[in-house]
Amino acid sequence: MNNEIYLDHNATAPVREAVAEAMMAALRQAGNASSIHGFGRRQRQLVETARAEVAALLGAPPQNVVFTAGGTEANNLALRGSGRRRVIVSAIEHLSVLQATDGAEIAPVTAAGVVDTEGLAGMLAADSEPALVSVMLANNETGVVQPLDVIAGIVEQAGGLLHSDMVQAAGRLPLDRHAVAMASLSAHKIGGPQGVGALVLGRNMPVSPIIRGGGQERGRRAGTENVAGIVGFGVAARLVREQAGGNAAMARMRDRMESRLLQAFPDAVIFGADAPRLANTSCIAIPGMRAETQIMALDLAGIAVSAGSACSSGKVTTSHVLQAMGAAAEVAQCAIRISFGPGNCDTDSDRLIETLLTLRGRTARQKPEAA
Ligand code: PLP
């Protein structure tokens, strides 16, 4: 029996069974969704069904969904395709937002990891050029949820446009309550396949393609559609809508783990604990225990977690998110991210804590010898 424990759902969520089945069925069908013959029309139908499911996550009309090859591309399309020359992004955005344009201005965050709304308002007021502002709904490293409605009001008053990276919030928070001009989604964070995402546009929001060629996606994203991937995204979107809820149980499991961890390691720091957070996410530093060491020890015990943001590469660098929150480098270097999913239970976090306690015992025994 597989005894491994997966606590890295913010990096990617396991593909749901119904998603895999629907994708296999789609892969077995021939046809290009742009072809006008029957084979093509059947593929088109699959794409449009999925589009409606993804649109429903935001309560948007289906035609406002632009399928992309993931959240990274959706963020790039939003920031580079909006036509706005002035771009303001929060300091805790995913690298696919931070690096999408040259010369973006960086809005600060508080020590709790929440965008400093007064600071943002000041930045907007400092220049009359209307800006595109990008603020994520929930942070991938800390889970901190941003006051998007307050931010939307500030941006609107300044004549700006608001984009929100909702990649981590999807399936965990309702997305349809926010007035944003554009929102990015990624299938693999909600149990869909990797390499598929979407930019969902607000009413009358034009976007210029960054990938040019054919006229697919109403001229907003060229390239033959990844029909099987899009089908999988659609099924995952439907399932998270149908199965919404369960946050209270998830938060209870996360809070139990955090309080036990604090009992075991009283000097541990929980980032973003003073702000509203996604129920499944915990970013914890145990001073003196470097993230790599913890991750390796946990991996040997069959437990998967990550250090800061796992999506960029295997290397562990100091997280720009924790830096922006003012964390000292030596503490930030010890931060690991534990992200639960629907299949986890209390015994999973108990095993995590036991493993970290064993690691600390071993490290303490080794230190006098090394001295
Ligand atoms: N935005 C956030 C907040 C993320 O966490 C990620 C991936 O981890 C992305 C964007 C990128 O999405 P994708 O992996 O689909 O390119």
Side-chain angles (χ1 to χ4, degrees):
M1 204 188 88
N2 187 349
N3 207 17
E4 288 186 319
I5 297 174
Y6 190 70
L7 295 174
D8 203 11
H9 291 80
N10 288 14
T12 196
V15 172
R16 290 164 185 258
E17 199 45 47
V19 167
E21 277 169 24
M23 288 180 70
M24 278 309 292
L27 279 172
R28 291 198 174 100
Q29 286 189 35
N32 181 320
S34 299
S35 301
I36 53 173
H37 47 61
F39 290 85
R41 289 199 309 275
R42 283 192 289 277
Q43 296 291 90
R44 169 63 46 207
Q45 187 54 49
L46 292 176
V47 170
E48 297 315 318
T49 302
R51 197 186 302 281
E53 296 289 5
V54 171
L57 282 178
L58 279 115
Q63 66 272 19
N64 291 21
V65 171
V66 183
F67 284 119
T68 64
T72 296
E73 188 193 317
N75 283 340
N76 273 266
L77 178 58
L79 270 77
R80 288 159 57 194
S82 76
R84 296 268 165 130
R85 281 179 306 178
R86 184 175 183 219
V87 176
I88 301 178
V89 306
S90 93
I92 54 162
E93 294 303 308
H94 190 262
L95 290 180
S96 56
V97 166
L98 283 169
Q99 296 185 4
T101 55
D102 292 325
E105 296 166 54
I106 310 291
V109 300
T110 65
V114 180
V115 170
D116 171 355
T117 48
E118 277 179 27
L120 174 64
M123 289 172 78
L124 283 163
D127 191 328
S128 58
E129 164 118 22
L132 171 70
V133 176
S134 183
V135 175
M136 65 204 329
L137 180 50
N139 183 262
N140 43 308
E141 295 186 32
T142 60
V144 170
V145 177
Q146 301 302 317
L148 211 55
D149 292 339
V150 176
I151 291 168
I154 292 170
V155 172
E156 193 190 342
Q157 216 174 11
L161 282 177
L162 180 60
H163 162 255
S164 185
D165 176 341
M166 296 189 175
V167 163
Q168 292 290 347
R172 300 180 176 138
L173 295 175
L175 307 182
D176 54 359
R177 304 192 174 157
H178 308 285
V180 295
M182 295 178 280
S184 299
L185 300 173
S186 173
H188 73 103
K189 309 290 183 177
I190 60 168
Q194 297 173 354
V196 191
L199 184 67
V200 184
L201 304 170
R203 199 167 342 129
N204 301 329
M205 178 66 211
V207 73
S208 313
I210 56 170
I211 297 184
R212 294 161 197 231
Q216 291 91 346
E217 296 297 297
R218 295 171 190 261
R220 300 176 292 203
R221 199 274 185 188
T224 302
E225 292 89 342
N226 169 6
V227 176
I230 289 170
V231 164
F233 190 8
V235 174
R238 173 168 56 76
L239 292 177
V240 295
R241 249 181 343 108
E242 285 173 359
Q243 297 162 7
N247 268 351
M250 189 76 84
R252 194 204 54 76
M253 181 162 61
R254 193 264 321 267
D255 294 347
R256 176 185 175 277
M257 178 199 67
E258 289 184 349
S259 74
R260 290 186 174 217
L261 216 128
L262 283 172
Q263 272 167 17
F265 301 93
D267 58 343
V269 179
I270 300 173
F271 293 100
D274 295 334
R277 273 185 300 163
L278 291 178
N280 80 316
T281 308
S282 188
C283 183
I284 301 182
I286 304 175
M289 273 166 79
R290 287 182 68 93
E292 302 95 292
T293 316
Q294 293 183 63
I295 288 166
M296 279 189 294
L298 290 165
D299 185 38
L300 283 172
I303 304 170
V305 301
S306 68
S309 178
C311 29
S312 50
S313 67
K315 68 177 190 293
V316 180
T317 49
T318 308
S319 144
H320 68 276
V321 174
L322 302 184
Q323 257 173 356
M325 291 164 68
E330 63 276 15
V331 178
Q333 279 164 3
C334 299
I336 61 167
R337 178 189 65 189
I338 299 147
S339 48
F340 294 99
N344 293 124
C345 58
D346 287 340
T347 44
D348 296 343
S349 57
D350 290 346
R351 257 183 63 191
L352 172 121
I353 296 171
E354 275 163 34
T355 309
L356 292 178
L357 281 169
T358 310
L359 173 66
R360 186 178 60 181
R362 211 170 45 229
T363 322
R365 278 197 303 281
Q366 278 166 358
K367 267 197 183 135
E369 286 161 29

